[in-house]
Amino acid sequence: MNKKVGDKEIILKLLSTFKDSIGTKKYYLVFIFGFLTSIVSILEPFLFIKIIHYIEEFYKTGAFDIKKLGFYMIYWGVFIAFYLLLTYINRYYFIDKSNLKYYVYVFKKYSKKILSISYGDFLGKKAGELYSRLNKGIKDSFGLLFFFFMEIIRSMSGIILVIIVLFIVNPIMTIASISMLPVMIFMGMFYNKRTVELQKEINDFDDKNYGILADSITNTYLVKNLILEKKFFSLLSKNIRLSYDKQLTVSKRWSFLDIYTGVLVMISRVIVILTGSYLISIGKLSLSMLFLYFSFIGWIYFPLSFVFTKLRHIKEQLTTVGKFFEEFDNLELEKGINYDENIKKYNTKGDIEFKNVEFGYSKDKLILKNINFKINAGEKIAFVGNTGSGKSTIINLIFRLWEINKGEILLDGNNIKNINKSHLRNSIGLVAQDNSLFNLSIKENLLFAKEEASDEEIKNALTLANADFVYDLKDGIDTVIGERGLKLSGGEKQRLSIARLFLKNPEIIILDEATSALDNKTEKLIQKSIDKLLKGKTSIIIAHRLSTIKNVDKIFMVEDGKIIESGKYDELIKKGGKFNELVNPEHLILN
């Protein structure tokens, strides 16, 4: 749905999704029972009018058949009981249960899509807006379906049936009853058209505000550090004020429609009474039939009035649902990964080779240019270079977060394009500078690496990672660590990340500036854990500290997307090239 779509397309898409969620057979049964309930409901006034007719006859003739009246009273009572039972079946078994099935189906379908979004597509979106649209889209589509089957199907079909039946009984009284209907429909459509674009703008402001709020919450530390609270609040206040002003305009227009509706209903009643009185005076209509037509004015106008009154909300929901389908049906999903398979390690030795690899987000702007290197199983290598040189991009390509433009990336001689991404990634472990953890307990975070790990295995992993501090916490390994692990220090988070890798035990380990943000004392402690972790593994290190890269098997110097030098530390120093220029032994870092 890349092109602009109308309400009709959105409704058809919604009904199609609803049909998929409950199955074709039940989908049509929902409609059938809705119509059946509507048909039965309009019969009840005719039974009631029959009783009124007997009373009318009594006043005319003085004769009163108590048996017939009693029969119709019993018949009426049985009918009411049947109608209530039918209403219950329709409401619970066909509307409520079907809508709840739809809710579960849509939530599972689109939450899976979000989790399967390609890395590139994700970077171009705001997490807050995604969450807002998913949440509002599912809720509003659920509400729309409920309203459609409870009000539109039942009420609208009831109105049409009532008009047909009344027209058969007395065309003149029917025309009098519905004389104001075209005016009401015109006014409803007129106001609906005037609020469409305004409602879309209001929804855009809401999405934008949730996006801003999510960004500020996610980056709470940065917001407080840069004293941005006032700036963010000012921006949110400005947007909500604009949304408020536009919403007032919309509400004002619909409030006028309420007045028009009330006036039209009153005019209709006057027309029916005047027309009916005239027909009674000339003997063309009975009092009971006038009572019937007067009663049915409510059946025609009030449901229609209710629908028009709800049009503003329906329009809001249709706009939201349209954006929801447009956003999530067009998400770029990650290819080459099968989430339905049991995630298992790719049985790799750990040989990695890049052959003539080129990569860029667009063809005219390459980030990596003709990259060639080979890492043998069990080797420890390092990538060094300035920020933006392409080091982290190489790591992302190994994970297949991006697909290369040209060349090959081989794992044990096999092109990684032919390896399921879930299996590939489960064979690689990463310790980054900022290791985000989930807002769960320490134990739950560790079990993501190995779901079936025993308490003994967890304890062993924590010991190897020098992360025994967790047992000194009040709740031990059941301690909930806060959003992105913010209740822990940087060093504590790193040690938990390393413990997680000890549990996972992958064949390939990647360290991306793993100790750059730590003080020397904490670095030394974590370096001991890292040394244990890397033993016998293929290891790739990105770092600026000489202590981290000095003893690796090979160093690759990356500049402007190219590998310009490679070799052991001492070899590169003797060479006197670019690497030698960057080395600052006095400060033990690469400048």
Side-chain angles (χ1 to χ4, degrees):
M1 297 201 324
N2 286 320
K3 62 178 183 178
K4 188 176 179 180
V5 295
D7 293 345
K8 180 183 175 183
E9 287 81 5
I10 295 169
I11 292 168
L12 290 175
K13 169 67 179 176
L14 180 59
L15 289 175
S16 173
T17 308
F18 179 69
K19 183 179 176 182
D20 292 340
S21 68
I22 64 171
T24 304
K25 183 179 178 181
K26 191 164 187 179
Y27 175 75
Y28 288 114
L29 281 174
V30 171
F31 279 94
I32 291 167
F33 262 79
F35 287 126
L36 183 60
T37 305
S38 182
I39 291 168
V40 173
S41 69
I42 69 167
L43 295 177
E44 191 262 340
F46 286 96
L47 292 173
F48 184 68
I49 289 303
K50 195 69 177 174
I51 295 170
I52 298 295
H53 176 70
Y54 274 106
I55 297 171
E56 186 183 7
E57 285 297 311
F58 170 72
Y59 279 104
K60 283 181 180 180
T61 63
F64 193 72
D65 190 338
I66 190 68
K67 287 184 178 180
K68 277 191 176 181
L69 180 63
F71 171 77
Y72 274 106
M73 290 290 287
I74 293 169
Y75 187 69
W76 185 31
V78 171
F79 176 85
I80 293 295
F82 172 73
Y83 172 66
L84 291 175
L85 178 63
L86 187 66
T87 302
Y88 170 78
I89 293 170
N90 181 54
R91 170 67 189 264
Y92 178 69
Y93 286 99
F94 289 100
I95 295 178
D96 286 10
K97 287 186 78 173
S98 298
N99 274 13
L100 286 170
K101 277 188 176 181
Y102 165 83
Y103 186 91
V104 172
Y105 172 83
V106 170
F107 181 83
K108 288 171 70 175
K109 177 181 178 179
Y110 288 105
S111 59
K112 184 177 181 180
K113 276 199 165 193
I114 287 181
L115 293 171
S116 308
I117 189 173
S118 72
Y119 189 62
D121 199 19
F122 169 75
L123 292 178
K125 299 183 183 297
K126 287 188 175 181
E129 287 186 16
L130 272 180
Y131 170 76
S132 172
R133 286 189 179 173
L134 179 72
N135 183 41
K136 288 168 65 180
I138 292 176
K139 285 184 177 178
D140 282 358
S141 63
F142 176 82
L144 266 177
L145 283 170
F146 191 84
F147 182 80
F148 179 77
F149 289 109
M150 278 298 294
E151 302 299 336
I152 301 295
I153 293 296
R154 190 174 67 178
S155 299
M156 294 301 100
S157 60
I159 289 170
I160 293 167
L161 286 168
V162 163
I163 292 172
I164 292 170
V165 171
L166 291 182
F167 195 84
I168 293 169
V169 174
N170 192 313
I172 295 173
M173 284 298 294
T174 304
I175 291 169
S177 300
I178 64 172
S179 57
M180 291 292 106
L181 202 58
V183 182
M184 180 180 278
I185 292 170
F186 171 77
M187 294 301 296
M189 292 175 69
F190 173 74
Y191 275 93
N192 180 44
K193 191 173 182 180
R194 288 188 67 191
T195 58
V196 170
E197 293 305 320
L198 267 177
Q199 197 58 62
K200 285 182 179 178
E201 289 177 30
I202 292 166
N203 288 355
D204 285 339
F205 276 120
D206 287 345
D207 288 340
K208 191 178 291 183
N209 266 349
Y210 277 108
I212 293 167
L213 200 57
D215 279 348
S216 61
I217 292 170
T218 304
N219 297 290
T220 297
Y221 182 80
L222 184 62
V223 169
K224 293 189 177 299
N225 187 263
L226 297 176
I227 322 170
L228 296 174
E229 293 94 337
K230 187 176 179 181
K231 186 172 182 178
F232 273 112
F233 183 72
S234 176
L235 188 57
L236 287 167
S237 298
K238 180 185 175 183
N239 284 339
I240 202 68
R241 183 70 207 183
L242 289 169
S243 177
Y244 170 79
D245 290 341
K246 290 180 184 294
Q247 190 65 68
L248 271 183
T249 304
V250 171
S251 297
K252 187 177 180 180
R253 290 174 182 175
W254 285 110
S255 296
F256 275 121
L257 181 63
D258 289 346
I259 295 172
Y260 292 138
T261 300
V263 170
L264 292 174
V265 169
M266 291 306 298
I267 293 172
S268 298
R269 284 174 172 171
V270 171
I271 292 171
V272 166
I273 289 173
L274 291 175
T275 306
S277 299
Y278 171 72
L279 292 175
I280 288 173
S281 70
I282 62 174
K284 297 287 187 180
L285 189 74
S286 66
L287 182 64
S288 59
M289 291 308 292
L290 174 59
F291 188 86
L292 176 70
Y293 279 89
F294 192 83
S295 299
F296 269 124
I297 287 177
W299 283 72
I300 296 170
Y301 284 91
F302 285 119
L304 195 62
S305 172
F306 176 71
V307 170
F308 281 128
T309 304
K310 297 285 288 182
L311 268 182
R312 176 174 65 87
H313 187 55
I314 294 168
K315 192 65 207 175
E316 287 177 27
Q317 290 180 318
L318 278 173
T319 304
T320 301
V321 172
K323 284 187 173 182
F324 165 69
F325 284 130
E326 183 179 8
E327 179 78 61
F328 294 103
D329 281 338
N330 289 293
L331 285 180
E332 184 184 314
L333 303 184
E334 194 167 22
K335 297 174 182 176
I337 188 164
N338 187 351
Y339 296 101
D340 296 325
E341 290 185 21
N342 292 322
I343 297 177
K344 55 186 178 182
K345 291 179 186 175
Y346 176 73
N347 293 322
T348 177
K349 294 184 294 181
D351 290 325
I352 300 172
E353 186 175 4
F354 274 52
K355 283 187 173 182
N356 306 313
V357 170
E358 289 188 357
F359 170 76
Y361 303 114
S362 60
K363 291 181 180 179
D364 55 342
K365 191 177 180 182
L366 291 176
I367 296 171
L368 297 179
K369 305 156 190 172
N370 198 34
I371 296 292
N372 289 278
F373 66 82
K374 185 172 183 181
I375 307 169
N376 295 316
E379 275 190 329
K380 187 191 293 185
I381 67 98
F383 288 104
V384 298
N386 294 320
T387 301
S389 60
K391 307 183 300 295
S392 293
T393 303
I394 291 172
I395 302 305
N396 289 339
L397 293 181
I398 294 173
F399 274 105
R400 281 192 71 194
L401 293 176
W402 303 98
E403 297 297 342
I404 59 177
N405 298 29
K406 185 181 175 183
E408 289 182 304
I409 301 175
L410 306 177
L411 183 60
D412 299 337
N414 300 311
N415 194 320
I416 62 171
K417 281 186 177 181
N418 302 321
I419 303 172
N420 188 302
K421 286 182 182 178
S422 59
H423 299 167
L424 171 70
R425 291 170 188 170
N426 205 37
S427 303
I428 305 171
L430 172 70
V431 181
Q433 179 179 342
D434 180 20
N435 274 290
S436 294
L437 298 166
F438 294 101
N439 190 10
L440 299 167
S441 69
I442 291 171
K443 183 177 181 179
E444 287 171 312
N445 270 281
L446 293 174
L447 288 176
F448 283 125
K450 188 179 180 181
E451 195 173 341
E452 71 281 4
S454 65
D455 288 344
E456 188 63 35
E457 287 177 300
I458 291 172
K459 186 175 182 179
N460 185 51
L462 288 167
T463 302
L464 288 170
N466 291 311
D468 306 83
F469 71 88
V470 301
Y471 294 105
D472 296 327
L473 299 173
K474 182 182 177 182
D475 296 317
I477 61 172
D478 294 314
T479 301
V480 177
I481 58 179
E483 193 78 26
R484 297 167 65 227
L486 291 177
K487 289 184 181 179
L488 303 174
S489 69
E492 287 170 338
K493 283 200 290 183
Q494 291 293 61
R495 281 181 275 169
L496 286 181
S497 298
I498 292 166
R500 193 163 55 188
L501 286 191
F502 272 116
L503 277 177
K504 186 177 180 180
N505 193 29
E507 289 81 3
I508 300 167
I509 304 287
I510 297 173
L511 306 177
D512 190 354
E513 301 285 8
T515 60
S516 63
L518 306 176
D519 58 67
N520 288 333
K521 183 179 178 182
T522 307
E523 184 202 2
K524 286 178 181 177
L525 182 64
I526 287 178
Q527 193 60 53
K528 289 180 182 177
S529 304
I530 289 174
D531 290 340
K532 295 177 195 172
L533 182 66
L534 299 186
K535 193 172 182 181
K537 308 286 187 184
T538 300
S539 312
I540 301 172
I541 300 167
I542 295 176
H544 284 88
R545 296 192 178 186
L546 295 182
S547 58
T548 309
I549 64 170
K550 202 168 184 179
N551 297 316
V552 299
D553 297 310
K554 188 179 283 186
I555 297 170
F556 295 99
M557 179 74 198
V558 184
E559 186 177 85
D560 192 28
K562 299 176 183 176
I563 294 176
I564 58 171
E565 293 177 0
S566 65
K568 288 182 176 290
Y569 177 84
D570 293 336
E571 292 172 354
L572 293 175
I573 294 295
K574 288 178 184 177
K575 203 174 190 180
K578 189 72 176 180
F579 180 80
N580 185 56
E581 290 177 20
L582 290 176
V583 171
N584 189 334
E586 185 180 340
H587 294 96
L588 302 176
I589 59 169
L590 287 167
N591 288 326

